[in-house]
Amino acid sequence: MTAFVAGPGAGLLSACATAGTGGEPAPAPSITASADARNPFGVDAKKPLEVVIFSGGYGDAYARELHQELYKKAFPGVTIEHNATQQIGTQLRPRFVAGDVPDVLNNSGPESMDLAALAAEGHLADLAPLFDAPSIDDPAKRVRDTITPAVIDNAKIDGKDLVLNYTVSHRALWYNAALFASMGWAVPTTWAEFTALGEQAKKEGIALFAYPGQKGPYYQLWNLLYTAAKIGGNQVIIDIDNLAEGAWNAEPVKQAVTAWVEIQAKYGEKSYFGLDHTQTQVKHLRNEVLFYPVGSWIENEMAKDKPDDFEYAIAPIPDVTAADAMPYGAIQVGVGENFVVGAKGENPQGGLEYLRIMLSKEGARGFTERTKNLTVVNGAAEGLDLPAGLMSAARAQDSAGANIITEARFEGWYKELFDYGTAQTNAVMAGRITPERFCADLQEKADAIKDDASVPKQTRSR
């Protein structure tokens, strides 16, 4: 899945600073790279390592069969405890409170942990030594010079490099190219064409659009945000991330929410609000839905259910107005699927080395082979036979050129705001509140967080 998906709100670890200590959280240990390029963090080869993986769209075989085997090859005889779950928060929150934390955590899924809260409690190891360490493939290069720069931009919490986002994802509207070809339909480029296609699809008994209302409203929250950026430019999202005054009440946000609420009312299916993401995605595979707002992990996630005549392809958001700030073809490309190292774990040095192995070409290429998703490691997927959906996303990215919709970061910075936004997304899409009320409610929540001195504030300029 992706790095910053929804889960319980802020205050997840409010007890951690005082549980059993009564004082401030202990500072995270500093780890300085050694002169040994083969073991830059001074890993104790006999020390066990614990890895927790979110077993969602990517599964967990890539960790068990690839990354952990590479770690064992580097440190023969080492013991690795592997845990896979879809309930990250439920299983890990009590452990963090008790101080019993894993060395590596793939923090993803609907129960992902609040990274800002983890950072505030000193639970996240500094990844600067990782980024400055020699690359496994070319020790003359630092790790940071072998990955897309967006990784470094998105690694920071309170100015520190604390998070590794491992995958490159494309979030847009996904459809069945084979169905479109058989029906003679063209991918709509304007909102008028989009609604006209909705009328045609309705005659065929097909919903124009759907998203998972029960467990995946954040898919649609992303879609609302990236539509707003299409209309008003990336500054719309930057202002939201920076808790800028009136950011949620900006006209492009209202226009985006209104447009999608109307699509849902006219061409959606209300019964889908009770479905989870897998159930909705199966309906998509059955051609009961034309467009589904999700990221490029969808193809691997649904590989076992996908019929042979279904061909995943990506469609940019159609022009909503005649004066959209970003042209048709603008697409959101971001880094996601975050990994952190437990600063208070038993083996943070091993955790850093595990991530360094993940960022090797062997580790990254093998991940792409197993999951059919790209990583942030430059050139790691060259020559691979990629599936149709991923090729479609790559072509869309090439066509977009510089017109890339920026990734919203408040979902990792202010999880309480993001969680509230997902709940309000279902409310507005179901018609329980108006678009104006949605924007006003989100603005009120953002302002409350901005005024809360206990919440660390983050800023971005681009």
Side-chain angles (χ1 to χ4, degrees):
M1 304 288 279
T2 183
F4 305 121
V5 290
L12 284 175
L13 298 171
S14 59
C16 287
T18 57
T21 64
E24 293 299 315
S30 60
I31 302 174
T32 304
S34 73
D36 185 355
R38 294 172 299 179
N39 187 9
F41 312 115
V43 175
D44 182 345
K46 297 179 181 179
K47 209 168 205 180
L49 185 77
E50 183 186 359
V51 179
V52 175
I53 299 293
F54 171 69
S55 184
Y58 300 131
D60 69 311
Y62 71 86
R64 286 186 290 102
E65 299 171 0
L66 175 65
H67 297 149
Q68 290 169 24
E69 289 304 312
L70 290 173
Y71 188 92
K72 291 176 182 177
K73 183 178 178 181
F75 305 104
V78 71
T79 299
I80 297 180
E81 180 181 348
H82 171 88
N83 292 303
T85 179
Q86 292 194 9
Q87 298 178 306
I88 294 293
T90 297
Q91 294 193 14
L92 272 295
R93 196 175 301 113
R95 291 188 54 187
F96 274 96
V97 171
D100 171 27
V101 301
D103 302 304
V104 176
L105 170 61
N106 170 209
N107 182 55
S108 192
E111 290 193 22
S112 61
M113 301 284 284
D114 186 331
L115 290 178
L118 290 173
E121 298 292 343
H123 280 295
L124 305 185
D126 186 359
L127 301 187
L130 166 68
F131 296 139
D132 288 329
S135 162
I136 288 176
D137 301 299
D138 183 358
K141 291 183 178 180
R142 296 179 301 171
V143 168
R144 70 172 65 241
D145 298 323
T146 67
I147 55 181
T148 180
V151 174
I152 307 301
D153 290 340
N154 285 271
K156 298 189 185 314
I157 298 177
D158 260 353
K160 297 179 181 179
D161 295 329
L162 301 177
V163 184
L164 168 66
N165 288 284
Y166 190 58
T167 61
V168 175
S169 63
H170 303 75
R171 295 179 191 159
L173 303 173
W174 288 78
Y175 70 101
N176 179 4
L179 173 65
F180 272 60
S182 68
M183 299 294 290
W185 290 339
V187 175
T189 63
T190 68
W191 214 253
E193 292 174 357
F194 193 47
T195 57
L197 181 58
E199 294 293 342
Q200 295 181 55
K202 187 184 292 187
K203 294 176 183 178
E204 302 291 336
I206 305 173
L208 176 65
F209 169 81
Y211 74 97
Q214 187 180 62
K215 290 189 176 180
Y218 49 85
Y219 287 2
Q220 177 60 5
L221 177 55
W222 289 332
N223 192 36
L224 296 178
L225 292 170
Y226 298 141
T227 302
K230 170 78 171 62
I231 297 169
N234 281 329
Q235 192 63 45
V236 173
I237 291 178
I238 293 170
D239 287 346
I240 285 174
D241 285 346
N242 288 340
L243 303 178
E245 183 176 353
W248 284 97
N249 281 319
E251 193 60 28
V253 181
K254 291 181 180 179
Q255 288 177 308
V257 177
T258 299
W260 281 110
V261 166
E262 290 177 351
I263 290 294
Q264 173 64 39
K266 292 180 180 179
Y267 308 111
E269 173 53 62
K270 288 185 177 180
S271 65
Y272 287 12
F273 285 115
L275 304 183
D276 63 24
H277 68 292
T278 301
Q279 292 167 323
T280 309
Q281 287 158 196
V282 167
K283 288 184 174 292
H284 190 217
L285 291 176
R286 292 174 179 169
N287 292 325
E288 296 177 32
V289 174
L290 280 193
F291 291 102
Y292 183 66
V294 70
S296 46
W297 58 83
I298 181 69
E299 193 164 25
N300 181 68
E301 185 171 32
M302 302 306 293
K304 293 180 180 179
D305 299 295
K306 187 179 77 66
D308 292 338
D309 62 351
F310 192 101
E311 182 182 330
Y312 275 114
I314 196 170
I317 296 168
D319 291 337
V320 184
T321 76
D324 283 4
M326 303 185 79
Y328 176 75
I331 193 169
Q332 195 281 326
V333 182
V335 294
E337 202 63 19
N338 71 69
F339 287 77
V340 295
V341 172
K344 301 177 184 179
E346 295 294 325
N347 191 3
Q349 292 83 1
L352 290 180
E353 181 61 20
Y354 186 89
L355 297 191
R356 192 172 77 111
I357 287 171
M358 288 175 57
L359 294 173
S360 68
K361 283 192 175 181
E362 185 176 4
R365 185 182 181 87
F367 177 90
T368 297
E369 288 175 325
R370 286 166 173 78
T371 67
K372 309 305 179 187
N373 282 267
L374 300 175
T375 74
V376 297
V377 179
N378 298 330
E382 289 178 3
L384 289 180
D385 183 17
L386 301 177
L390 198 55
M391 289 299 295
S392 171
R395 287 193 295 269
Q397 182 176 337
D398 289 343
S399 297
N403 297 305
I404 300 298
I405 298 173
T406 190
E407 187 168 19
R409 299 184 193 170
F410 78 95
E411 50 193 286
W413 290 351
Y414 310 112
K415 201 163 188 302
E416 182 179 4
L417 177 60
F418 188 69
D419 292 346
Y420 181 72
T422 63
Q424 294 303 94
T425 294
N426 262 358
V428 72
M429 294 299 292
R432 295 195 298 273
I433 61 175
T434 65
E436 291 75 18
R437 183 74 262 160
F438 172 89
C439 293
D441 287 348
L442 265 294
Q443 188 60 57
E444 182 178 351
K445 190 69 169 179
D447 289 342
I449 290 173
K450 183 178 181 179
D451 294 339
D452 187 345
S454 70
V455 178
K457 306 304 188 296
Q458 319 292 331
T459 59
R460 59 181 293 192
S461 60
R462 58 187 178 90

